Amino acid sequence: MLKKSLLFGVVLVVGITSYTYTTSFAQQPATSVAVEKSATEETVLLERLQMLENAIVPTTAEATVDMWAKAVQERNGALQYALLTENAKLGSKRSFESFHWVTGASSPWVENYTITSLPANEEQPQEQRFQVEFELVTSTGKTGKDQAFVGVVKQGQKWLIQSFGPVSEKAVGIWNTPESINEQSIENNFEDMKKVESNLGYTIQLPQNVLQKIKIEESSCKNEEGNPPCLNFFYKDMVTKQDVILASVIRLSKEQEKSDYYAGHPFLKKIGENHQGAFYSIIPSEHQYAGKEESVQGKEWSQLMEMLQVRMSKSI
């Protein structure tokens, strides 16, 4: 009887130990496993991306520059980035990412380009320089040219871009992300600007061709607290014969700015102030052509909206 009891006790102890070990293993936090899996997936994705980037880099200098110029024309920042040397990539990734890898501007855009080879440095046969001339157009049909120099270097069997930049101070820099484009050069060379002055004390400069597509109306914002004065911008839809709201600028007093209503307003963005008050823009929270964004009117509405957002903050 004693032997049986001892045997039963040993079995029981072994069983409890096994259960405790199994339970402890099964109940390990899932967070560490998920983090490890996420890190592995990210590594695999980066490896795949690197392999793809390496595969598309050309084996001749001319082909690399042509691919870069084509990427500029298509506003493809991801492809432009893939053609850069590791040193050239430094400091540029964040800018590309912030604009979702889109470069250039909606207007002007690149219609064509030509590439010219520059004299090579005999002491550096692994390096070559080119000049790329982009033909730019706008919706008015006006044309202009933007010029860039491009320096390439041979690394292994591939030719990568190690430097690029404007040929002159008048260059637009159409190959850059929108924040780095020389907008003053665009205005001087491609667009006839007209100043619009309102009774609100707000002034904005807009391209002459844009003014033909929009309607500007001064009123009071009756749907906002205190009915502040407003400047409303409408897109003139020539198909439906309707005026479709694009954006509004409202003027607030110092007291209104501090009120709970305007301090917590979800759609207000301050664009400046002067002695007459503070000016805020209000942009529609939804596309006015929802479901028809790809229609002619939907695309034009989007382009005008994009342009207004840029111009509003540069005026007053």
Side-chain angles (χ1 to χ4, degrees), residues 14-140:
V14 171
I16 292 174
T17 303
S18 300
Y19 172 78
T20 304
Y21 174 78
T22 304
T23 303
S24 175
F25 179 79
Q27 292 180 351
Q28 283 187 356
T31 304
S32 60
V33 177
V35 170
E36 183 177 347
K37 182 180 179 182
S38 177
T40 301
E41 291 176 347
E42 183 177 353
T43 300
V44 171
L45 180 61
L46 289 174
E47 290 173 343
R48 179 163 64 89
L49 180 60
Q50 187 173 13
M51 292 286 285
L52 288 171
E53 289 184 346
N54 290 338
I56 63 175
V57 177
T59 55
T60 67
E62 293 83 357
T64 294
V65 177
D66 182 73
M67 183 176 289
W68 179 81
K70 184 67 174 178
V72 172
Q73 183 180 29
E74 296 177 348
R75 305 182 67 186
N76 188 336
L79 181 53
Q80 291 171 244
Y81 183 81
L83 296 172
L84 302 180
T85 63
E86 291 303 315
N87 285 336
K89 286 179 178 178
L90 294 176
S92 63
K93 184 178 180 181
R94 181 172 296 181
S95 180
F96 279 115
E97 288 177 336
S98 64
F99 285 92
H100 306 284
W101 301 92
V102 177
T103 58
S106 57
S107 181
W109 61 88
V110 177
E111 181 78 3
N112 293 298
Y113 61 85
T114 56
I115 300 173
T116 304
S117 177
L118 300 177
N121 185 347
E122 296 181 359
E123 297 180 359
Q124 298 288 343
Q126 303 295 325
E127 298 181 9
Q128 292 189 37
R129 285 168 56 87
F130 296 83
Q131 181 170 304
V132 182
E133 185 173 88
F134 298 100
E135 295 182 15
L136 307 182
V137 299
T138 67
S139 57
T140 62

Side-chain angles (χ1 to χ4, degrees), residues 199-200 218-221 226-231 249-253 256 279:
N199 294 324
L200 281 68
E218 291 190 36
S219 65
S220 59
C221 289
N227 299 331
C230 285
L231 191 67
V249 172
I250 72 173
R251 187 187 70 199
L252 300 179
S253 65
Q256 287 175 318
F279 296 92

